[in-house]
Amino acid sequence: MSRGRMLAELSSGRSVLQCTAAIAVAVACSGTKTPNETGHAPAAPVQTPATGRTNGGAPAQQSEDGQWMMPAKNYASTRFSGLNEITADNVKNLHLAWTFETGILRGQEAAPLVVNNTMYIVTPFPNYLYALDLTKPGAPMKWVYKPRTLAAAQGVACCDVVNRGASYADGKIVYNTLDNQTVAVDANSGAELWRTKVGEINLGESLTMAPLVVKNKVIIGNSGGEFGIRGWVTALDLATGKIAWRAYHTGPDSAVLIGPRFKPFYAEDKKPNLGVQSWPGDTWKIGGAGAWGWISYDPDLNLIYYGTANPGPWNPDQRPGDNKWASSIFARDPDNGEAVWAYQMTPHDLHDYDGVNENILLDMPVNGQTRKVLIHPDRNGYVYTIDRTNGQVLSADPFGYINTSKGVNLSSGRLEPNEEKDPHIGEVVRNACPASPGAKDWQPSAFSPVTGLIYIPHQNLCQDAESVEANYIAGTPFVGMNVKMSPGPGGNRGFFDAWDPVARKLVWRINENFPVWSGALATAGNVVFYGTMEGWFKAIDAKSGQELWKFKTGSGIIGQPISYRGPDGTQYIAILSGVGGWSGAIVAGGIDSRDSSAALGFTNAMADLPGATNKGGTLYVFSLR
């Protein structure tokens, strides 16, 4: 296959709240139940939140300054705004305040930032950074920074040329460009302060994730699991851009920064050099396991938490073994990168179940005792509750339909695969659920300390898969799997869920026709927001799940909504509209819907999307006034 055709297919600080869910319900953590032969799914939801709960004072503990300075709002990754002018009672009066055109018609996945009465927007490739003046009517552009991104980077972008946003710290806007540059820009003037090259296009590496600034470190990770990269996470000095440390996710312990402090909870993870020993030969050198998702930080424990991506190639027969540390969660010291613990959600990943999804940090009761946990809705279909001090899995419950595995053994932490759905060369596996994008992909959830619920945007997809031999050539696709995706049970392709992390159950659910590929936003006014791939931006009652308001934008929404207080004291809601990403590649990449295996099989499930939305690149901002 030509490179061009393949690429077309591939693209076809302590003051921050660490949320506490003070909930007076004790829950036993007995693990997941073994499903029947047809798979398993979360229990049918009730239509009202769980009773007998108090959500004690978490909003009051947060100093809500009305700004939005990092993609997830805070280090705990709650995506919760303490602003409450917009409520479930008055959100029906929300109206369009102003718009801004980015001029870039690819997938708009970034969260805008709001700092000191200025809004900052990062676009998809070529990764322009816009600064908009919120003190003036219509928020005119103050300046634009154009990083001169190399066009060749588009050739190693797996799933659209997206960018997931920026972070603000110490007068700087820092973000990544597709061609493996991390840049720092003066937030006032737009002048470039430093630029650091951190990866190589020719090795298949790219950068799409949003950095997190922890103390004086800018934490970033690479993309490229479908191109035979070797995944890593890296810290740059905030003042100079110089690389402070780098931790690989495959290879010897010395390269993974595993040393005396590394104390994983499960015995089998304590063996030395698993990043080599769990791979055949030297395949770990091209084993994927990037870090293109989200990073959280606990200031009290001084640990960052993040997930790693799939092992490469997709064809599992070419990489027997657990393939450490792909599809895993790491806890690291941000000062020097040392690993403190790690846990692999999906050993020997068979279905492209990256582990890069968000980790929401909560302090909540588990079995009658308050525990410091992280909540991780994984691509493999389970919501994990993990003790963030040591990596112990306290519970793992299905939140989507699953037939590729039978549950998670809490004694060993091991996922129990369903061998009937294992792909092998020369065979076609039918109706494997969830599909490769998982029960949930990168699109981030939100947590409300007011309701005690997590709001999870996700998809409902299954797939047929055929393993084929993949040959490694540096900088070219390295996949080894033919895939066709299709809607999951019920026929709808998306869900927006409210999940009770203490009771470990679904509270309410909204069915959507297409995958819900946007992030979620929760607010103190008991309203949650999300967007659909048809272009509807919706406001939902956070307690009941009732739709309260919606607005039709010009393109499908795959961005991350935010809330901020304007210079006039008004609460605003902002969202970028512009379809794309893996799910929207058929539109953004202009892919022919007759090629059902294009975009790594997603095209087959989205053949009707071009009839529902067009390309776009517009910021929409809403208010009550």
Side-chain angles (χ1 to χ4, degrees), residues 469-608:
E469 185 177 354
N471 297 308
Y472 175 73
I473 301 173
T476 65
F478 184 56
V479 179
M481 190 79 70
N482 295 322
V483 172
K484 275 187 172 183
M485 300 181 204
S486 56
N492 62 296
R493 288 160 284 185
F495 296 122
F496 188 78
D497 291 352
W499 180 270
D500 185 330
V502 173
R504 297 165 44 205
K505 68 179 183 180
L506 193 63
V507 176
W508 51 256
R509 164 170 283 179
I510 299 171
N511 290 358
E512 292 287 356
N513 182 27
F514 292 108
V516 182
W517 211 255
S518 87
L521 166 69
T523 70
N526 272 326
V527 183
V528 291
F529 294 87
Y530 73 95
T532 75
M533 294 194 70
E534 302 101 307
W536 287 108
F537 188 48
K538 296 187 176 184
I540 307 298
D541 187 300
K543 294 180 179 179
S544 69
Q546 178 186 356
E547 182 181 295
L548 303 173
W549 169 90
K550 64 181 179 180
F551 180 92
K552 186 65 167 64
T553 66
S555 181
I557 298 172
I558 61 168
Q560 304 167 57
I562 70 162
S563 177
Y564 69 93
R565 182 187 295 115
D568 58 358
T570 297
Q571 180 183 0
Y572 292 87
I573 307 292
I575 183 68
L576 278 163
S577 166
V579 77
W582 193 6
S583 62
I586 186 173
V587 176
I591 297 173
D592 191 331
S593 63
R594 292 173 294 182
D595 187 354
S596 59
S597 64
L600 294 171
F602 221 139
T603 294
N604 192 65
M606 306 297 287
D608 55 339

Side-chain angles (χ1 to χ4, degrees), residues 204-209 220-234 247-250 279 284 286-295 306-312 323-330 332 352-357:
E205 291 180 295
S206 58
L207 288 181
T208 59
M209 59 89 73
I220 61 170
N222 64 347
S223 306
E226 284 64 53
F227 288 83
I229 65 157
R230 183 184 177 196
W232 47 254
V233 66
T234 293
Y248 289 94
H249 303 135
T250 63
W279 295 83
W284 56 269
I286 53 173
W292 54 268
W294 305 108
I295 304 171
Y306 69 95
T308 65
N310 61 289
N323 310 134
K324 304 287 189 189
W325 293 93
S327 303
S328 303
I329 292 174
F330 271 100
R332 293 188 184 273
D352 186 41
Y353 292 159
D354 300 53
V356 301
N357 293 354

Side-chain angles (χ1 to χ4, degrees), residues 336-533:
N336 55 23
E338 286 183 305
V340 174
W341 60 258
Y343 166 69
Q344 189 174 43
M345 285 80 65
T346 310
H348 187 56
D349 176 22
L350 301 170
H351 306 284
D352 186 41
Y353 292 159
D354 300 53
V356 301
N357 293 354
E358 67 280 0
N359 298 296
I360 302 174
L361 309 187
L362 304 177
D363 296 345
M364 72 180 203
V366 177
N367 212 18
Q369 178 184 2
T370 298
R371 304 284 291 266
K372 293 181 179 294
V373 304
L374 63 81
I375 308 294
H376 175 85
D378 195 66
R379 216 147 135 171
N380 66 18
Y382 299 92
V383 175
Y384 287 81
T385 300
I386 298 175
D387 186 316
R388 69 178 183 269
T389 69
N390 61 14
Q392 179 187 8
V393 178
L394 304 175
S395 63
D397 302 287
F399 68 102
Y401 179 77
I402 305 171
N403 65 21
T404 53
S405 64
K406 300 176 181 179
V408 177
N409 183 319
L410 296 187
S411 296
S412 65
R414 299 280 297 191
L415 182 71
E416 299 176 344
N418 177 7
E419 294 180 356
E420 294 180 1
K421 299 300 180 182
D422 291 1
H424 297 288
I425 289 180
E427 301 176 7
V428 177
V429 176
R430 304 287 184 187
N431 194 43
C433 313
S436 291
K440 193 185 86 64
D441 206 298
W442 75 278
Q443 64 270 44
S445 309
F447 169 77
S448 170
V450 178
T451 64
L453 302 178
I454 295 173
Y455 302 93
I456 306 176
H458 64 116
Q459 56 269 5
N460 177 37
L461 299 170
C462 300
Q463 70 184 24
D464 298 341
E466 177 189 23
S467 293
V468 295
E469 185 177 354
N471 297 308
Y472 175 73
I473 301 173
T476 65
F478 184 56
V479 179
M481 190 79 70
N482 295 322
V483 172
K484 275 187 172 183
M485 300 181 204
S486 56
N492 62 296
R493 288 160 284 185
F495 296 122
F496 188 78
D497 291 352
W499 180 270
D500 185 330
V502 173
R504 297 165 44 205
K505 68 179 183 180
L506 193 63
V507 176
W508 51 256
R509 164 170 283 179
I510 299 171
N511 290 358
E512 292 287 356
N513 182 27
F514 292 108
V516 182
W517 211 255
S518 87
L521 166 69
T523 70
N526 272 326
V527 183
V528 291
F529 294 87
Y530 73 95
T532 75
M533 294 194 70

